[in-house]
Amino acid sequence: MRRGVLAGVVLLTALLLQAGVVNPLDLPVGHPDLLVLCVVALALVAGPTWGTVLGFTVGLAADVLPPADHALGRLAMAYALVGYAAGLLEDLEERSVVTTVVVVAVASGAVVLVFAGVGALLGDARVNATSVADSLIATILYDVILAPFVVPLVSGAARRAEPVTTY
Amino acid sequence: MRDSGRARVVLAVLLLTAFTLITLDYRSGSGGPLRRVANAVFGPIENAVGDVARPIGSFFSSLGHLSSYKSDNAKLRKEVAALRSQLRLTDADRARLDAEEKLLHLDQIAQFRIVAAHVSAVGGSLDFESTATIDVGSRDGIAPDMTVIDGDGLVGKTLSVGPTTTTVLLANDVQFSAGARLESSQLIGHVDGGGRGPMTFTLLDSQGTVKVGTRLVTFGDIGQRPFVPEVPIGRITRVVPTPGALTRTAEVAPYVGFDSLDVVGVVVSAPRTIKRDSLLPPSPSPTPSTPPPSSPPSTPPATPGKSPSPSPSRSG
């Protein structure tokens, strides 16, 4: 079950790096989101079922990990959807750098919008036009910059690891 | 096809689970039981990561600030030289002040009991929240709803507490709000974090005057939880015209640099009475530089305009 172990290690590392290293950095407008990069990279190899399970798990962990302070389940929902959608592209024939970047950009935008959308429904004061716009711009931009490096790395490692089971 | 059918079922189940969690957790607010468990489990790991990452992160962030470090360095050398020459003058003033204080029994300016902590992680959740994890917890005497300060002023308040880590809501978060008082007066209002926008101060008095440059301190709460009084917050930079409103609104430049938090202190107890305005540094005369208009500045280590007196609230 080596692919499962790899996925767990990758996602845990991404969680801790995001909170401990990436978020404290003083970057303009916002920060990249390592979790969406890893979820997309793993889902592109593992398919929609595993994509959504990995997305849900890492989203829930991100909801629970301190210092998060919002209703539990919001990030879980967002990453589960993105994991599913990215997993549907598992059988994409021509996968160039451009398509990877486009997928990451759409996924980053989707994560922000779903998270903000649920927040708006719950009446979260932190969700307003400027914060959503800033988060969208920053997350998409920084993730697109990191995508050509992170996604092939994680996808390659996942492909070489033993598959969990074949459905 | 089988795979996508199964995938859709799994997705539906997980979305329902997430929705249920949201509904359940929405009611319990910050500090619910699941968060306390997470604090206990993930806290030590985050502390370790923070300990390792802090020098690396500060190296990379310092690369971006090298030129300003050089000019800050030159400026600080000049200030030190000037201050040394001033010392001879203030010794005499200090002696007189000591005698007066003894007469009036003002021998304690403010004695906060503070637990010092490092910031080990900063929350983003896609940059919507402004929270931080610090590496002290209930074992060090921390409880929810305590004031968090650093040498410059008000940092925030504690939210949920684990055995070795605590989540802090920073003062520039949209959901942050604290009672505030204008210096040298009895006019009170509240300060609200603005997220990416500027912090705002709302004066609960439509007839009161708010002047640019006035400094704000916290107005303590009952039982001093969550806020102890007299902690410096920031300085008014712009008065927002609100004709016909029952309150007055102004933008505030906070003293604390939220992008570069490192060592903070949690106030675990404070004396019952603290002399008003005693924690603000003596007012500089005249104000050396015009404050920046809207966004809170990320203050470099030596804030120009602050006098050299050590803040009594800094822990050892």
Side-chain angles (χ1 to χ4, degrees), chain B residues 129-143:
Chain B
E129 301 164 356
S130 193
T131 52
T133 313
I134 57 176
D135 59 0
V136 289
S138 53
R139 278 197 216 139
D140 307 285
I142 313 295

Side-chain angles (χ1 to χ4, degrees), chain A residues 18-144:
Chain A
Q18 180 78 39
V21 176
V22 172
N23 282 336
L25 286 178
D26 187 5
L27 298 168
V29 188
H31 302 90
D33 184 21
L34 300 179
L35 297 178
V36 98
L37 286 170
C38 294
V39 167
V40 164
L42 291 168
L44 282 175
V45 172
T49 321
W50 277 110
T52 188
V53 168
L54 288 171
F56 179 84
T57 315
V58 81
L60 191 59
D63 279 327
V64 151
L65 191 78
D69 179 41
H70 52 262
L72 283 175
R74 282 170 63 184
L75 285 173
M77 198 179 263
Y79 285 109
L81 281 167
V82 163
Y84 175 77
L88 288 176
L89 299 170
E90 178 195 17
D91 301 318
L92 200 61
E93 282 311 319
E94 30 151 299
R95 196 145 355 118
S96 64
V97 179
V98 176
T99 49
T100 313
V101 163
V102 167
V103 167
V104 163
V106 171
S108 307
V111 159
V112 171
L113 288 174
V114 171
F115 181 74
V118 177
L121 284 175
L122 293 174
D124 189 354
R126 294 179 173 123
V127 174
N128 53 56
T130 33
S131 65
V132 173
D134 281 344
S135 180
L136 268 177
I137 295 172
T139 315
I140 295 180
L141 200 65
Y142 290 124
D143 279 350
V144 153

Side-chain angles (χ1 to χ4, degrees), chain B residues 40-149:
Chain B
V41 169
F42 284 107
I45 307 177
E46 274 196 340
N47 289 344
V49 171
D51 283 340
V52 170
R54 208 176 308 119
I56 304 175
S58 64
F59 170 72
F60 280 114
S61 71
S62 71
L63 286 181
H65 293 127
L66 276 177
S67 60
S68 70
Y69 285 166
K70 276 172 74 174
S71 66
D72 282 348
N73 201 348
K75 208 172 7 171
L76 284 171
R77 284 184 202 276
K78 280 204 323 212
E79 273 187 46
V80 166
L83 290 172
R84 285 214 175 109
S85 67
Q86 278 185 33
L87 262 177
R88 281 179 269 118
L89 290 171
T90 55
D91 267 344
D93 290 343
R94 224 180 283 147
R96 197 181 62 191
L97 189 61
D98 282 346
E100 284 176 348
E101 279 187 349
K102 267 189 219 145
L103 279 173
L104 299 172
H105 301 289
L106 289 178
D107 56 344
Q108 291 174 340
I109 297 179
Q111 290 196 337
F112 292 147
R113 252 190 65 223
I114 292 177
V115 175
H118 277 293
V119 170
S120 55
V122 173
S125 292
L126 306 168
D127 298 319
F128 281 99
E129 301 164 356
S130 193
T131 52
T133 313
I134 57 176
D135 59 0
V136 289
S138 53
R139 278 197 216 139
D140 307 285
I142 313 295
D145 282 342
M146 283 183 168
T147 315
V148 181
I149 63 175

